Amino acid sequence: MRLKIGKLTFWLTIVAGAGTSLAGSLVWAQTAPDPVAEYRAMFGDDNPAVLWTLRGQDLWKEVRGSKHVSLAKSCDLGMGTGIIKGAYAHLPRYFADTKKVQDMESRLLTCMVDGQGMDKAAILKNRFGEGDRKSDLEALAAYVVDASNGVAISLPLEHPEEKRAYALGKAIFFYRAGTHDFSCASCHGQVGKRIRLQQLPDLAGPGKDARDTYATWPAYRVSQGEVRTMEWRIGDCFRQQRLPQLKYGSEAAIDLTMFLAKNAEGGKMAAPGLKR
Amino acid sequence: MTDPMRIRASLTGDTVEVKVLMSHPMETGLRKDASGKLVPARYIKNVKASCKGKDVLTADWGPAVSKNPFLAFRFKGGAAGEKVTVTWTDTAGESRTDEAEIR
């Protein structure tokens, strides 16, 4: 049903924009008050994401996998083994052991598969939880990102691979493709626009929109009742753009995250956030 | 298996404000899964909160309450250090009780 709703709403958007050139007319000036902001204010400090954070904390400390080790004793997210404070604010980054630039999700996967000896296919099958079928990755993501609360996003891009990831991410962001000739920038390249009541942050370069958006992901999605991460968010943008399914933890996903993260530099992490 | 609730109880003046976050799917019985089959209803039908053995809140809930419900309420007569106990029971007969100290 969720998928159906997704298709229906998108279809309606297209109808509203029909008759004029597509990519340019799908966005309207921001005039409506933000009902999501009011909803967020009612919750105050209480975010259902806490339920994920608590489960993630247990998973982080639990001895698991064929190697019988906990993530707390074996996983390096870039700040040293077991250190999560501030880790998310400096990701994605280059990791010498895997010789790759990795974001939080792909790094957690490396830790679980290579470090703990867990089954990669099983973890990936459950990468997006739904109801009783809970995702370990989403719980761990909530826990890890919560430990970066208040930390300023900083990505110096010192390693050439990091620079390359940023450049590729930028290229993907502006690359128009698919049946609707969409790029990320078609929706996220102007300030103060919206689709229906949904605000469209301008993510094409550094700025307040880029900071506020990146700093509040991962987030609890009220409409789904789940905590979702940046990998999910970008993957869903690809679906909305009618692009091929974005592979979880792929170079494209990580590079795009790198581009968004670098544009958000200086912003203070405030995740897990609370989203529509 | 049920996940723990997150309960916070804070005393301001003579009033205790309790905030409860429950982990529950709250299936309405109207939703269909990916294969088109109805997902059976399963939701919290009763919530009870007590302090010093006395009920401070009872609620009958239905399928219209959101997934992972958030409940906030106030009552008088509690003091710092005392415990607030919250119990929910769902339509599957499952139940969960957690408590928190008033601060």
Side-chain angles (χ1 to χ4, degrees):
Chain A
M1 182 162 150
R2 184 168 306 140
L3 269 178
K4 264 188 200 154
I5 286 180
K7 277 178 188 156
L8 178 69
T9 49
F10 203 80
W11 180 78
L12 286 173
T13 318
I14 299 292
V15 168
T20 41
S21 89
L22 265 181
S25 64
L26 284 180
V27 290
W28 280 266
Q30 179 75 53
T31 47
D34 184 359
V36 182
E38 287 172 36
Y39 182 79
R40 215 174 272 139
M42 282 165 72
F43 265 97
D45 295 334
D46 294 272
N47 183 334
V50 168
L51 302 170
W52 274 254
T53 308
L54 293 174
R55 205 168 69 83
Q57 184 174 21
D58 292 343
L59 286 172
W60 182 259
K61 292 174 181 162
E62 195 183 327
V63 174
R64 294 205 304 170
S66 60
K67 295 187 182 169
H68 304 289
V69 68
S70 68
L71 290 169
K73 294 236 167 76
S74 65
C75 186
D76 180 3
L77 293 171
M79 313 291 283
T81 303
I83 298 173
I84 56 165
K85 190 169 168 42
Y88 190 78
H90 308 295
L91 285 168
R93 72 196 294 165
Y94 179 80
F95 287 90
D97 55 349
T98 53
K99 297 192 179 57
K100 268 194 275 191
V101 173
Q102 296 188 286
D103 61 355
M104 172 183 60
E105 293 93 314
S106 61
R107 187 62 189 174
L108 281 172
L109 197 59
T110 300
C111 286
M112 290 162 89
V113 175
D114 298 344
Q116 292 185 300
M118 292 179 64
D119 181 19
K120 186 176 182 180
I123 302 168
L124 278 179
K125 199 176 164 219
N126 233 4
R127 63 199 188 281
F128 305 132
E130 197 183 326
D132 283 339
R133 190 177 55 75
K134 288 172 181 162
S135 160
D136 288 354
L137 272 172
E138 283 170 345
L140 284 165
Y143 175 60
V144 168
V145 75
D146 189 58
S148 284
N149 226 317
V151 179
I153 298 160
S154 161
L155 296 108
L157 303 189
E158 275 156 357
H159 197 279
E161 283 297 314
E162 292 174 353
K163 285 195 185 78
R164 186 171 159 266
Y166 171 82
L168 277 172
K170 187 174 183 177
I172 298 170
F173 189 88
F174 290 98
Y175 184 71
R176 286 164 65 160
T179 54
H180 293 65
D181 197 26
F182 255 61
S183 71
C184 303
S186 302
C187 286
H188 295 292
Q190 296 168 77
V191 182
K193 300 287 181 180
R194 64 183 168 89
I195 285 181
R196 295 174 291 135
L197 279 176
Q198 186 63 42
Q199 285 179 40
L200 291 171
D202 174 14
L203 307 174
K208 190 181 174 338
D209 276 10
R211 287 194 296 274
D212 290 353
T213 303
Y214 190 81
T216 48
W217 283 93
Y220 181 80
R221 281 292 304 261
V222 177
S223 55
Q224 303 191 9
E226 299 284 347
V227 165
R228 297 298 187 211
T229 68
M230 210 56 183
E231 286 269 356
W232 176 88
R233 179 59 271 176
I234 294 177
D236 202 52
C237 278
F238 267 51
R239 180 186 65 80
Q240 289 166 322
Q241 290 178 76
R242 308 294 194 270
L243 296 180
Q245 191 179 5
L246 183 64
K247 218 171 135 195
Y248 195 91
S250 64
E251 209 183 329
I254 294 167
D255 292 352
L256 257 177
T257 305
M258 178 65 104
F259 175 67
L260 297 175
K262 181 69 184 168
N263 286 343
E265 193 147 54
K268 291 229 164 71
M269 285 306 302
L274 188 65
K275 308 271 179 184
R276 176 180 65 88
Chain B
M1 206 203 91
T2 56
D3 286 330
M5 281 178 254
R6 191 188 189 231
I7 308 172
R8 293 199 295 181
S10 57
L11 182 72
T12 319
D14 61 346
T15 309
V16 179
E17 182 171 35
V18 185
K19 289 178 170 178
V20 191
L21 197 52
M22 304 168 203
S23 178
H24 198 281
M26 298 299 283
E27 284 292 353
T28 60
L30 302 170
R31 200 171 68 89
K32 286 173 184 165
D33 65 13
S35 60
K37 277 190 296 213
L38 273 182
V39 180
R42 190 190 157 190
Y43 51 85
I44 295 173
K45 59 174 184 179
N46 185 272
V47 183
K48 192 179 264 189
S50 60
C51 181
K52 291 181 286 186
K54 208 171 158 186
D55 285 354
V56 291
L57 174 133
T58 54
D60 293 326
W61 280 3
V65 176
S66 86
K67 184 175 181 174
N68 300 328
F70 175 68
L71 169 73
F73 64 93
R74 295 187 184 92
F75 72 91
K76 282 182 181 172
E82 290 169 357
K83 287 205 164 108
V84 177
T85 309
V86 181
T87 303
W88 59 251
T89 311
D90 72 9
T91 51
E94 198 142 28
S95 134
R96 166 111 211 164
T97 303
D98 287 290
E99 58 180 22
E101 198 174 291
I102 301 172
R103 285 167 198 281

